[in-house]
């Protein structure tokens, strides 16, 4: 089991790193667009206006959810705890793992991404890729409800997280404007200073994106596991020297709760690791994961 857990972490990192690399520019553009609009509309920002600004900016998450749904199935298969229902639902992924070895996580993630995103017509007829495309499509059909729920919930979570960020940012911008006005800066100068100050750093974007993607991966696993009849979830850590020593994590590690319940501790709560309701110190770069039964 220890080897499998290590392999699962490698697979999770491979999928998250791959998606992060693919989405980095899109996510950066998304955050910067929100920030620019907040600054440009700072004089008439209401809660409804902030909600509108955040909601109209879109991030394409469908392919990401599909990849994480496959990762969820692979994780369950590696745990060797499949129910009869799961064995039927995951048969296509078991077959896919027979074609491409998960022991090379980075290569496996790249190949799965290629299969998911490429139309069947672009693959050479009779190749493993054509057969693989049929397998993943069959898996998606068998798990259609869970995947649809994941797309909807993930989209809502992204919007909620960035509305909170926008509200915090708005308060900070207004404070800065007050200070700059007292310094007799011109409106044009104030706008430039604000846009320079709130330009989102590349490293911050990458760190935040990986945190969001880890949370998305765990949220998709939750929906897929629900769809296969799981009734409980257990919070697990990687069990190494890098595990964070924080109040919430220390309280929830090893806890088993009903699948629709939240993990609670020290005045905080979360559905999954990386849940955006948690404070930054409890979610940024979290590597915890859930197992289901």
């Amino acid at each position: 089991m220890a080897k499998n857990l290590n392999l699962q972490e490698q697979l999770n990192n491979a999928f998250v790193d791959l998606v992060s690399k693919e989405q980095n520019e899109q996510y950066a553009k998304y955050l910067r667009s929100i920030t620019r609009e907040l600054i440009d509309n700072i004089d008439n920002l209401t809660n409804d206006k902030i909600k509108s600004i955040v909601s109209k900016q879109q991030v394409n998450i469908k392919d990401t959810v599909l990849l994480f749904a496959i990762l969820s199935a692979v994780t369950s298969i590696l745990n060797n705890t499949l129910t009869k229902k799961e064995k039927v639902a995951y048969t296509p992924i078991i077959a896919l793992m027979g074609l491409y070895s998960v022991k090379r996580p980075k290569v496996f993630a790249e190949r799965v991404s290629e299969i998911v995103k490429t139309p069947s017509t672009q693959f050479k007829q009779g190749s493993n890729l054509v057969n693989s495309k049929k397998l993943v499509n069959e898996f998606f059909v068998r798990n259609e409800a869970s995947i649809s729920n994941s797309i909807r919930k993930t989209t809502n979570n992204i919007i909620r997280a960035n509305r909170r960020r926008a509200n915090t940012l708005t308060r900070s911008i207004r404070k800065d404007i007050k200070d700059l006005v007292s310094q007799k800066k011109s409106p044009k100068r104030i706008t430039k200073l604000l846009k320079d100050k709130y330009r989102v750093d590349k490293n911050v974007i990458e760190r935040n994106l990986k945190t969001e993607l880890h949370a998305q991966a765990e949220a998709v696993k939750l929906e897929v596991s629900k769809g296969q009849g799981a009734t409980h979830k257990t919070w697990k850590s990687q069990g190494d020297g890098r595990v964070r020593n924080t109040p919430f994590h220390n309280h929830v590690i090893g806890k088993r709760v009903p699948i629709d319940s939240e993990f609670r501790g020290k005045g905080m709560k979360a559905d999954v690791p990386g849940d955006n309701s948690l404070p930054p110190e409890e979610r940024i770069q979290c590597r915890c994961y859930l197992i289901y039964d």
Side-chain angles (χ1 to χ4, degrees), residues 82-101:
L82 298 185
T83 63
K84 288 182 179 180
K85 185 177 180 181
E86 286 174 325
K87 286 178 181 177
V88 172
Y90 298 162
T91 295
I93 303 305
I94 294 172
L96 187 70
M97 291 166 68
L99 294 173
Y100 308 107
S101 174

Side-chain angles (χ1 to χ4, degrees), residues 1-275:
M1 179 62 77
K3 287 184 179 179
N4 275 350
L5 290 182
N6 181 259
L7 178 57
Q8 286 175 37
E9 182 183 9
Q10 291 178 49
L11 283 163
N12 192 77
N13 290 342
F15 274 80
V16 168
D17 287 347
L18 177 69
V19 176
S20 175
K21 190 178 296 182
E22 292 175 348
Q23 287 197 354
N24 193 276
E25 189 53 42
Q26 180 190 180
Y27 190 70
K29 183 178 179 181
Y30 170 73
L31 292 181
R32 287 167 182 155
S33 295
I34 291 173
T35 302
R36 279 197 301 270
E37 283 215 53
L38 291 175
I39 292 172
D40 290 341
N41 292 275
I42 195 67
D43 290 336
N44 62 348
L45 282 181
T46 62
N47 286 335
D48 285 343
K49 181 65 175 176
I50 292 172
K51 181 179 179 180
S52 173
I53 288 172
V54 173
S55 298
K56 79 177 183 179
Q57 301 295 336
Q58 299 294 320
V59 177
N60 179 17
I61 62 163
K62 182 178 179 181
D63 286 343
T64 300
V65 169
L66 294 178
L67 287 174
F68 288 155
I70 292 175
L71 175 63
S72 174
V74 170
T75 299
S76 295
I77 292 164
L78 289 175
N79 280 335
N80 296 315
T81 56
L82 298 185
T83 63
K84 288 182 179 180
K85 185 177 180 181
E86 286 174 325
K87 286 178 181 177
V88 172
Y90 298 162
T91 295
I93 303 305
I94 294 172
L96 187 70
M97 291 166 68
L99 294 173
Y100 308 107
S101 174
V102 296
K103 292 182 179 179
R104 299 172 65 196
K106 183 178 178 181
V107 175
F108 182 78
E110 289 171 348
R111 184 51 53 89
V112 169
S113 179
E114 178 187 10
I115 293 164
V116 168
K117 296 178 180 180
T118 307
S120 301
T121 53
Q122 293 186 23
F123 292 136
K124 183 179 178 181
Q125 291 303 308
S127 68
N128 275 349
L129 289 171
V130 171
N131 295 331
S132 300
K133 186 72 173 180
K134 291 178 181 176
L135 290 172
V136 297
N137 285 343
E138 183 182 348
F139 170 73
F140 294 152
V141 169
R142 294 185 184 190
N143 293 272
E144 184 177 4
S146 299
I147 290 170
S148 294
N149 285 338
S150 294
I151 292 172
R152 176 177 54 80
K153 289 186 176 182
T154 300
T155 300
N156 290 339
N157 285 340
I158 291 173
I159 291 173
R160 279 198 297 269
N162 280 289
R163 280 179 63 187
R164 282 197 292 272
R165 173 183 173 272
N167 283 322
T168 301
L169 201 58
T170 297
R171 289 193 292 271
S172 181
I173 291 169
R174 282 178 171 152
K175 180 180 182 301
D176 286 340
I177 288 176
K178 185 177 179 180
D179 292 341
L180 291 168
V181 168
S182 70
Q183 296 170 30
K184 302 188 184 309
K185 303 290 184 185
S186 70
K188 185 176 180 180
R189 181 62 178 162
I190 288 174
T191 299
K192 184 179 186 309
L193 289 170
L194 289 174
K195 288 184 176 179
D196 286 344
K197 177 176 180 178
Y198 292 101
R199 182 179 290 117
V200 189
D201 180 79
K202 180 181 177 181
N203 292 328
V204 172
I205 289 172
E206 184 175 346
R207 183 192 66 186
N208 287 351
L209 179 55
K210 286 189 174 181
T211 297
E212 296 302 332
L213 290 174
H214 178 66
Q216 286 180 31
E218 288 300 319
V220 173
K221 291 177 188 176
L222 173 62
E223 291 304 316
V224 173
S225 297
K226 277 186 188 179
Q228 297 310 316
T231 59
H232 288 77
K233 56 188 179 183
T234 303
W235 190 293
K236 294 285 189 178
S237 77
Q238 294 296 336
D240 57 24
R242 292 168 54 200
V243 172
R244 66 188 65 201
N245 181 20
T246 55
F248 178 77
H249 273 75
N250 290 342
H251 188 81
V252 300
I253 288 172
K255 288 291 177 72
R256 177 177 178 267
V257 301
I259 199 163
D260 286 321
S261 296
E262 295 170 316
F263 293 94
R264 294 175 178 266
K266 305 302 179 181
M268 293 168 270
K269 59 185 180 180
D271 276 330
V272 296
D275 194 308

